[in-house]
Amino acid sequence: MSVVPPTRRRGRSRRRTLALLVASGLALVGVVVLGVGWAGIGITTLRASAAGSEPCLAAYEVGSGVEIRYELLPARAVCVRDVDGTRQEVVVASVPTAVTAGGLVLALGGIAGTVAALLPARGARDAAPPGAGGPVAPAPPAGTP
């Protein structure tokens, strides 16, 4: 009976390792850009509310049917209230659309690139190591040349 020595698993190539590093770095930068932008919107809204300089936010403090809405794209905080039967929307804080879209592209593209770099190579996925699965040929009868 022949014993098949254990096969050593090949490590990732330098190119794939570099691709993984770059893709995960881009994803991290995108997430940080989005986080800083959205946190900045919240902080700016709180500061404007504390200062009392915006009439819509002052009405929100009183509780007279005023609503503050946070939107994703474009990233902004909008104060909505009814003034004499007309709906008035005031943008309290916002992040430029290009910054938010760029952050989303970096985050999603980096995540996709990281997943792609972690997947096994196509050739390695299709080729099975020797002795792994497949039909086994019957042993020849004893005494046959």
Side-chain angles (χ1 to χ4, degrees):
M1 178 170 160
S2 65
V3 177
V4 178
T7 58
R8 185 174 160 182
R9 189 171 165 189
R10 218 174 113 223
R12 299 207 184 274
S13 70
R14 286 185 178 161
R15 184 175 297 165
R16 287 184 64 180
T17 303
L18 181 63
L20 181 62
L21 177 68
V22 169
S24 59
L26 289 175
L28 183 61
V29 167
V31 168
V32 167
V33 166
L34 291 173
V36 167
W38 290 329
I41 288 173
I43 291 169
T44 303
T45 303
L46 287 174
R47 285 185 181 159
S49 177
S53 59
E54 180 63 49
C56 185
L57 292 176
Y60 181 76
E61 297 282 329
V62 176
S64 60
V66 177
E67 170 188 352
I68 297 179
R69 191 176 65 222
Y70 294 94
E71 297 177 355
L72 180 66
L73 195 61
R76 63 185 182 171
V78 180
C79 185
V80 181
R81 69 177 179 161
D82 287 329
V83 178
D84 298 329
T86 60
R87 184 179 170 116
Q88 180 186 21
E89 292 188 359
V90 178
V91 176
V92 179
S94 68
V95 174
T97 305
V99 173
T100 306
L104 282 172
V105 166
L106 284 175
L108 296 177
I111 290 168
T114 301
V115 169
L118 287 174
L119 291 176
R122 178 170 274 230
R125 200 175 26 208
D126 295 339
V136 177
T144 56

